[in-house]
Amino acid sequence: MTATRTGRPRSEATRLAILQAAATLTTELGYDHVTIDAIASRAGAGKQTIYRWWSAKSMVVADAVIEGLLRLPALDLPDTGDLSADLKAWTTASAAKMGDSRFLQVVRALVTAATGPEQDASRLYEHIMRPTYEPLVARLRRGQDAGQLSTAVSAESVADALLGTLLFRALARLPMPETMTGIIDALLAPPPPPSSS
Amino acid sequence: MTATRTGRPRSEATRLAILQAAATLTTELGYDHVTIDAIASRAGAGKQTIYRWWSAKSMVVADAVIEGLLRLPALDLPDTGDLSADLKAWTTASAAKMGDSRFLQVVRALVTAATGPEQDASRLYEHIMRPTYEPLVARLRRGQDAGQLSTAVSAESVADALLGTLLFRALARLPMPETMTGIIDALLAPPPPPSSS
Amino acid sequence: MTATRTGRPRSEATRLAILQAAATLTTELGYDHVTIDAIASRAGAGKQTIYRWWSAKSMVVADAVIEGLLRLPALDLPDTGDLSADLKAWTTASAAKMGDSRFLQVVRALVTAATGPEQDASRLYEHIMRPTYEPLVARLRRGQDAGQLSTAVSAESVADALLGTLLFRALARLPMPETMTGIIDALLAPPPPPSSS
Amino acid sequence: MTATRTGRPRSEATRLAILQAAATLTTELGYDHVTIDAIASRAGAGKQTIYRWWSAKSMVVADAVIEGLLRLPALDLPDTGDLSADLKAWTTASAAKMGDSRFLQVVRALVTAATGPEQDASRLYEHIMRPTYEPLVARLRRGQDAGQLSTAVSAESVADALLGTLLFRALARLPMPETMTGIIDALLAPPPPPSSS
DNA sequence: AGGTAAACGAGACGGTACGTCTCGTCTTCCT
DNA sequence: AGGAAGACGAGACGTACCGTCTCGTTTACCT
């Protein structure tokens, strides 16, 4: 019994109105120009209601992401049986979305939240990163089962490298597709060791 | 001759004091919590002096980086001739530093800047990441020359994967060292090609 | 029969707890810093219970006064038969209490209420001042009966002058005791009439 | 040389605009409904500018009084040579103004300020009470010289009693004129001591 | 040497947003 | 129905910074 029991219960309608307002304003104005006052006003809520449930603006935006009101680029990973083609299709599509400035606005909120208290960071990982990470690892494992990826390397390592590259180059604003193709080839179908260059 | 000629010349001592203050405060407080007032106060300078020479906080911090006053706690990448051992030593040591809050502060500065104007973002990334990224790429190229790494994959791709993994796992707060070892092995010592190619 | 009759009867214990809390907090914090929330919390009552029975903070405090829970630190006015000595003893003792911050807190409550609606103001003044004012007037009347004070001046006027002097000098933070002695002498033992009347 | 010397000097225009705004708003809305935000907005000033120079709303209003922008009832004390008539005329006129609710609004600000830090209270006394108190004492002394008031009582005592009565009855909202007449008569022309009632 | 002019430290200015506090109402469960 | 608990919309509070604007002062170059 962790719950308190008396008192007016939290209003779900208000909670959603706040998250919706945060999502809308982030998309319209960009993360930096969103204010708590504006979120409250747009949501028809009091500021205290926001501060009662969220510790910072970044957490409100992060919750809007979790709630699905503010979409990160969808990263549905296909499974056609051809791991290499699937990964290339996925990274190419993902990379294309990374150039979207609205995406960077959201990423900024998430990174801000991620550098905050451990508890908040973990929550974000669970709700935002894991839904992308786990299917990717699973797909890589199926590729290993199919003999398309060496079992000498952990699927997690490859997933880290792929997601990390996307993150790194997105933040650095470097071009992406070719790079991703190269590393995928390197990991999946390594050439014979060079003997004489 | 665009320059005016009379008047008191710009004070180099003040310029450096401002950049040093910006660097110190960014490391101590994190990019978001650095204020122009604090920089001015710490540097013993007037705010107007800062605004006279820089357009925004991000430009001051970028200049501090250029000046070499603010760095990632980057480690020297050894070159013993054994690429695998060198990378493992470097990634292990780097991963250990990822727990350092100063690292996260700088990463935050980068991400914050990344969502700002293209020009600011590029300046910061160039000068913060390059001192780490370029030597890494160079070392990988030497490894390729020595036949320790396939030439079928670009050195940049491997560098992206390594740095990206560090960045990703740092932000996601996942454990690091083992993972790094695995991916290095995968890239350097590829397994036999899958049976059905 | 104006009253409804069904339902749970009003809790007397809660009513008193609220008034006691209001009195205590007014004394401790001063009228301005008392909040309805704090009263409710201290009384172990719900805010709605307060709003159900009182229209405003001033009314709660007024009721606390009526209930005798909040008083000026009034002193008993002695009656030894010697009006002059009695008044001097009382004013000297009262003046000493004027330095007490609790006194100023109550005065502030009165002044705050005085600027509000007529009804609230009257209630507070009646009940806070009267317990001091009425005995003083009564004592002065007995002095008049005993020939110690002229009947040409109303007892109320003298009471006003005495209490007013205390109030004025307390607010102006001027020294008090000697002054009080002087005015008492002036009123009780009038000098010979001026030569040219 | 107690003053600091550098930096932009305080703007006198802004200072006056703030006091004028405070005066106007107090008159229009009443002391309670004046907000610092409204003063700042009306004055075209920033809130911080107000907080930089005044500790509380009551001090701003008090300064507006001192500056003559928010008038207390003028208490010009006539000197026709007839002390009794002069005092009665003055108290009657003063009492009439005391019923004005705008007066009570200002008094509330002053009392609030008077119950604050010693330094603020002293300032108020010097600038607000003394300009009324001192001429009154002086007039009473001239009355003593003319034999219209006993020299056995200090002029200050009488002034205390008169001002105190006005203050007390104004705050208590009790009727005034008759009472004031009575006490003046008692102090100025005492009847012969009663022998047989 | 004296004059001109830009840069300097200092800090007040009009603003925006913050995060907190209090109000008076509303909503639930418990008695 | 009364009451405790406590969430709610509203909005004022006092603070922190922003970027701009005077000030008086300092330090060069130019007569």
Side-chain angles (χ1 to χ4, degrees):
Chain A
M1 303 299 181
T2 56
T4 54
R5 298 230 277 100
T6 59
R8 178 177 177 171
R10 179 173 182 184
S11 162
E12 177 67 8
T14 292
R15 186 184 139 267
L16 285 174
I18 289 167
L19 294 178
Q20 184 61 62
T24 305
L25 289 170
T26 298
T27 302
E28 287 178 1
L29 308 174
Y31 180 72
D32 283 355
H33 297 111
V34 174
T35 65
I36 295 284
D37 290 76
I39 293 172
S41 176
R42 169 84 63 121
K47 286 170 62 177
Q48 192 59 60
T49 301
I50 296 178
Y51 285 109
R52 184 154 34 231
W53 301 109
W54 290 277
S55 59
K57 181 174 71 169
S58 63
M59 297 310 294
V60 181
V61 175
D63 255 14
V65 172
I66 291 171
E67 205 69 30
L69 300 171
L70 189 60
R71 284 242 161 253
L72 281 177
L75 297 170
D76 287 332
L77 180 57
D79 186 353
T80 63
D82 180 346
L83 179 61
S84 176
D86 288 352
L87 289 178
K88 287 177 184 173
W90 173 77
T91 54
T92 301
S94 297
K97 295 216 172 178
M98 296 271 181
D100 187 340
S101 68
R102 290 175 306 163
F103 170 75
L104 282 177
Q105 297 290 359
V106 176
V107 167
R108 178 163 177 192
L110 298 178
V111 172
T112 298
T115 55
E118 176 70 39
Q119 191 175 355
D120 294 349
S122 297
R123 186 146 178 276
L124 290 175
Y125 172 74
E126 289 296 320
H127 288 89
I128 297 180
M129 293 310 297
R130 187 127 87 174
T132 295
Y133 187 70
E134 301 265 280
L136 176 57
V137 170
R139 180 69 190 84
L140 290 167
R141 290 226 171 90
R142 287 197 297 277
Q144 286 178 321
D145 292 343
Q148 297 171 327
L149 173 66
S150 164
T151 54
V153 59
S154 73
E156 283 86 357
S157 298
V158 177
D160 289 349
L162 294 175
L163 281 177
T165 296
L166 280 171
L167 184 59
F168 168 63
R169 292 191 85 87
L171 291 176
R173 300 198 182 186
L174 299 172
M176 278 188 274
E178 306 81 2
T179 303
M180 296 302 287
T181 301
I183 195 76
I184 291 168
D185 285 339
L187 289 165
L188 297 194
S195 52
S196 64
S197 64
Chain B
M1 302 300 179
T2 56
T4 55
R5 298 235 271 104
T6 59
R8 178 177 177 173
R10 179 173 183 184
S11 162
E12 177 66 8
T14 293
R15 184 183 141 268
L16 283 175
I18 288 167
L19 295 179
Q20 183 61 62
T24 305
L25 289 169
T26 298
T27 302
E28 286 177 2
L29 308 175
Y31 183 78
D32 287 353
H33 296 114
V34 174
T35 66
I36 295 284
D37 289 76
I39 294 172
S41 176
R42 168 83 65 121
K47 287 169 61 175
Q48 191 59 242
T49 302
I50 296 177
Y51 284 109
R52 191 164 13 240
W53 302 109
W54 291 277
S55 60
K57 181 173 73 171
S58 65
M59 300 311 286
V60 183
V61 174
D63 262 12
V65 168
I66 292 170
E67 208 68 30
L69 301 171
L70 182 64
R71 303 189 157 283
L72 274 183
L75 291 172
D76 288 334
L77 179 57
D79 188 351
T80 64
D82 180 345
L83 180 60
S84 176
D86 289 352
L87 290 178
K88 288 176 185 174
W90 176 79
T91 53
T92 301
S94 295
K97 288 228 167 178
M98 291 290 178
D100 188 340
S101 67
R102 291 181 305 152
F103 172 78
L104 283 178
Q105 299 294 13
V106 176
V107 168
R108 258 177 103 158
L110 299 182
V111 174
T112 300
T115 59
E118 176 74 38
Q119 193 175 355
D120 294 358
S122 297
R123 267 191 109 177
L124 276 170
Y125 270 96
E126 281 287 305
H127 291 90
I128 290 189
M129 294 314 276
R130 203 194 305 254
T132 296
Y133 188 69
E134 298 269 281
L136 177 57
V137 170
R139 179 68 189 86
L140 290 166
R141 289 226 171 91
R142 287 197 298 277
Q144 285 178 321
D145 291 345
Q148 295 170 326
L149 173 66
S150 165
T151 55
V153 60
S154 72
E156 284 85 358
S157 297
V158 177
D160 289 349
L162 294 176
L163 282 177
T165 296
L166 284 170
L167 183 59
F168 168 65
R169 293 191 84 89
L171 289 176
R173 303 199 182 188
L174 298 172
M176 280 187 272
E178 307 80 1
T179 303
M180 296 302 287
T181 302
I183 196 75
I184 291 168
D185 285 338
L187 289 164
L188 298 194
S195 54
S196 66
S197 66
Chain C
M1 307 301 177
T2 55
T4 54
R5 300 232 274 103
T6 59
R8 178 175 174 175
R10 179 173 181 185
S11 162
E12 177 66 7
T14 293
R15 185 183 140 267
L16 284 175
I18 289 167
L19 296 179
Q20 183 61 62
T24 304
L25 290 169
T26 299
T27 302
E28 286 178 2
L29 308 174
Y31 182 78
D32 286 354
H33 295 113
V34 174
T35 65
I36 295 283
D37 291 75
I39 294 172
S41 175
R42 168 85 62 123
K47 287 169 61 177
Q48 191 57 240
T49 303
I50 296 178
Y51 284 109
R52 195 166 6 243
W53 300 108
W54 291 276
S55 60
K57 180 174 71 171
S58 65
M59 300 311 287
V60 182
V61 175
D63 262 11
V65 168
I66 292 170
E67 208 69 31
L69 300 171
L70 182 65
R71 303 191 155 281
L72 274 182
L75 292 172
D76 288 333
L77 178 57
D79 187 351
T80 65
D82 180 346
L83 180 61
S84 176
D86 288 353
L87 289 178
K88 286 176 186 173
W90 176 79
T91 54
T92 300
S94 295
K97 289 227 167 178
M98 291 290 177
D100 187 341
S101 68
R102 291 180 305 154
F103 171 78
L104 284 178
Q105 299 293 13
V106 176
V107 168
R108 257 177 103 158
L110 299 181
V111 173
T112 300
T115 58
E118 176 74 38
Q119 192 176 355
D120 295 357
S122 297
R123 266 189 111 177
L124 275 170
Y125 270 97
E126 281 287 304
H127 291 91
I128 290 190
M129 294 314 279
R130 203 194 307 252
T132 296
Y133 189 68
E134 298 269 281
L136 177 58
V137 170
R139 179 67 190 86
L140 290 166
R141 289 226 171 91
R142 288 197 298 277
Q144 285 177 320
D145 292 342
Q148 295 170 328
L149 174 65
S150 165
T151 54
V153 59
S154 72
E156 284 85 358
S157 297
V158 177
D160 288 350
L162 295 175
L163 282 177
T165 296
L166 285 170
L167 182 60
F168 168 65
R169 292 190 84 88
L171 289 177
R173 304 200 181 185
L174 298 171
M176 281 188 271
E178 307 80 2
T179 303
M180 298 302 286
T181 302
I183 195 73
I184 291 168
D185 285 338
L187 289 165
L188 298 193
S195 52
S196 64
S197 67
Chain D
M1 307 312 172
T2 57
T4 54
R5 301 228 281 99
T6 58
R8 180 175 176 172
R10 179 174 182 182
S11 163
E12 178 65 9
T14 293
R15 187 185 138 264
L16 285 174
I18 288 167
L19 294 178
Q20 184 61 64
T24 304
L25 289 170
T26 300
T27 301
E28 286 177 1
L29 308 174
Y31 180 72
D32 282 356
H33 297 110
V34 174
T35 65
I36 295 283
D37 289 77
I39 294 173
S41 175
R42 168 84 64 119
K47 285 170 63 176
Q48 192 61 56
T49 302
I50 296 178
Y51 286 109
R52 185 153 32 229
W53 301 109
W54 291 278
S55 58
K57 181 174 72 169
S58 62
M59 296 309 295
V60 182
V61 175
D63 254 14
V65 172
I66 292 171
E67 205 69 29
L69 300 171
L70 190 59
R71 286 243 161 251
L72 281 176
L75 297 169
D76 288 333
L77 179 58
D79 187 351
T80 64
D82 180 346
L83 180 61
S84 175
D86 288 353
L87 290 178
K88 287 176 185 174
W90 174 76
T91 53
T92 301
S94 297
K97 295 217 173 178
M98 296 272 180
D100 187 341
S101 69
R102 290 175 305 166
F103 170 76
L104 283 178
Q105 299 288 1
V106 177
V107 167
R108 180 164 176 190
L110 297 177
V111 173
T112 298
T115 56
E118 176 71 39
Q119 191 174 355
D120 294 348
S122 297
R123 185 147 178 277
L124 290 176
Y125 173 75
E126 289 296 320
H127 288 89
I128 296 180
M129 294 310 298
R130 186 127 91 176
T132 295
Y133 187 70
E134 302 263 280
L136 176 58
V137 169
R139 180 68 191 84
L140 290 167
R141 290 228 171 89
R142 287 197 297 277
Q144 286 176 321
D145 293 343
Q148 296 171 326
L149 173 66
S150 164
T151 55
V153 59
S154 73
E156 284 85 357
S157 298
V158 178
D160 288 350
L162 295 175
L163 281 177
T165 297
L166 281 171
L167 184 59
F168 170 62
R169 293 191 86 87
L171 291 177
R173 301 199 182 183
L174 299 172
M176 278 190 271
E178 306 80 3
T179 303
M180 297 303 287
T181 302
I183 195 75
I184 291 168
D185 285 338
L187 288 164
L188 298 194
S195 53
S196 63
S197 63

